[in-house]
């Protein structure tokens, strides 16, 4: 085989479809979030404001998180030195898992290298634990859930996004005796809409199904202690397995599941994605635990309020310009562009002319024709940053002669 030609062909397909991705080289500056330095291809530097980050609360520069990480670094060194089963379980991992279990009101938690791996490893392993398991998966579930469900290899049913009638219809059509699991997200990050958790739990109860909820875009930010939408909606006790990340609102890195002690014990014992990989560094575990601890308390409540206020302020201003924002009353602010070329052009102009960094969101992340810019205001985006963004969007939207009709809510 001509391997080089095959590589060229694979990359060429992406170029042809306009889906070839390039990295923007940025360096965040601690103490100055959301500002960062971009290094251009020619080596020159540009001051930018990051508007598409998922460090939703700025915890990546929080003094308590950094202090915990410094302390762990000095105490234990760089890495964990092993897999969890072979010398890679430390007091930091245990403390983090206790913190997570307490956050979600569950008996236990299990930390993975990322929430992607946690979804992939858990969902693919549940089929070994519950033979004949049928998984009912929301059509807009994240790639990591899709991959885990695919890898598990058993029966799966895809229900239309947030469509309770369709979910019920699919469940009713299957053998009542078969083990079942409903897998869904709390906040779907591209449209920023929210799942009807309570109604899904009602249906799960009716059909004897387990529930699996991805709270990646909600932990830290919703609920009295930041445990997510299920906590806010008082449904946490009805979810069998909660998945989330330590890399977004908690500002660090890693992912986890929280569940009953038996469920965690079984996943821990069977999941290759947990067993055969080096555990996260103690430094990372210490930082994540500090972030969770902080956000459970008064400081967290204040940040959550600020976060929602900033999102509301940005939406109000963009809506005032008649820009088609997608608003589901969450912290993410997608602006519908509806064309991949315009979307990329706007993103490039914002970056080059205004130092505003927002990545274009194109197919396959979202369906063709729904291309968008996805802004993530945070407590570290002040009035000045919002003002600059709104003025730039107004100007560029006019220059590009884009439609100002309102998008869906
Ligand atoms: N689940 C959802 C819904 C996500 O959007 C993402 C990542 O963006 C993940 C899981 C994976 O999280 P992590 O970045 O910790 O792997």
């Amino acid at each position: 085989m001509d391997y080089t030609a095959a590589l060229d062909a694979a990359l060429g397909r992406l170029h042809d479809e306009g889906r070839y991705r390039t990295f923007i080289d940025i360096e965040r500056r601690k103490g100055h979030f959301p500002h960062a330095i971009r290094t251009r291809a020619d080596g020159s530097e540009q001051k930018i404001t990051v508007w598409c980050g998922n460090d939703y609360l700025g915890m990546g520069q929080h003094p308590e998180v950094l202090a915990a990480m410094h302390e762990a670094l000095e105490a234990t060194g760089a890495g964990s030195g092993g897999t969890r089963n072979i010398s890679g379980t430390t007091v930091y991992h245990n403390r983090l898992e206790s913190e997570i279990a307490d956050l979600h009101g569950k008996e236990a938690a299990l930390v993975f290298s990322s929430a992607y791996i946690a979804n992939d490893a858990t969902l693919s392993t549940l089929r070994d634990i519950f033979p004949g398991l049928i998984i009912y998966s929301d059509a807009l579930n994240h790639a990591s859930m899709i991959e885990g469900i695919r890898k598990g290899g058993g029966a799966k049913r895809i229900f239309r996004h947030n469509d309770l009638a369709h979910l019920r219809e699919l469940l009713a059509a299957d053998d009542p005796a078969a083990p079942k699991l409903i897998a869904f997200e709390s906040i779907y990050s591209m449209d920023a809409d929210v799942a009807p958790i309570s109604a899904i739990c009602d249906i799960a109860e009716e059909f004897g199904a387990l529930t699996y909820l991805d709270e990646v875009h909600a932990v830290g930010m919703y609920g009295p202690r930041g445990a997510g939408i299920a906590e806010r909606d008082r449904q946490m006790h009805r979810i069998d397995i909660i998945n989330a990340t330590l890399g977004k609102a908690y500002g660090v890195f890693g992912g986890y599941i929280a569940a009953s002690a038996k469920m965690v014990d079984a996943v821990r014992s069977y999941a290759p994605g947990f067993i055969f990989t080096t555990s996260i560094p103690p430094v990372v575990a210490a930082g994540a635990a500090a972030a969770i601890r902080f956000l459970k308390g008064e400081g967290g409540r204040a940040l959550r309020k600020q976060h929602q206020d900033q999102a509301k302020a940005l939406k109000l201003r963009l809506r005032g310009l008649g820009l088609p924002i997608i608003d589901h009353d969450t912290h993410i602010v997608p602006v519908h562009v509806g064309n991949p070329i315009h979307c990329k052009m706007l993103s490039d102009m914002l970056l080059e002319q205004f130092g505003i960094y927002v990545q274009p969101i194109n197919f396959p992340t979202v369906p063709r024709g729904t291309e968008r810019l996805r802004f993530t205001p945070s407590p570290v985006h002040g009035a000045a940053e919002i003002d600059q963004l709104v003025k730039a969007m107004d100007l560029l939207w006019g220059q590009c002669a884009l439609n100002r009709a309102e998008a869906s809510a």
Side-chain angles (χ1 to χ4, degrees), residues 54 114-117 119 142 144-145 185 187 189 214 216-217 243 245-248 254-255:
N54 283 339
S114 70
Y116 186 105
I117 303 289
N119 273 334
H142 187 254
S144 52
M145 282 202 266
E185 297 181 25
I187 296 184
S189 77
D214 176 319
V216 161
H217 292 279
N243 161 284
T245 185
L246 302 167
K248 297 189 194 293

Side-chain angles (χ1 to χ4, degrees), residues 171-243:
L171 281 155
D174 282 321
D175 176 1
K180 301 179 176 73
L181 178 136
I182 303 171
F184 61 116
E185 297 181 25
S186 58
I187 296 184
Y188 290 83
S189 77
M190 291 303 146
D191 282 342
D193 60 332
V194 178
I197 297 179
S198 162
I200 290 178
C201 289
D202 289 346
I203 293 179
E205 264 172 30
E206 188 183 331
F207 289 91
L210 295 169
T211 47
Y212 185 103
L213 179 63
D214 176 319
E215 289 257 32
V216 161
H217 292 279
V219 284
M221 296 171 281
Y222 295 85
R225 297 202 308 157
I229 296 287
E231 184 194 29
R232 184 196 73 178
D233 293 356
R234 299 203 170 95
Q235 299 298 312
M236 214 156 51
H237 61 288
R238 301 180 77 194
I239 305 293
D240 293 291
I241 304 174
I242 295 175
N243 161 284

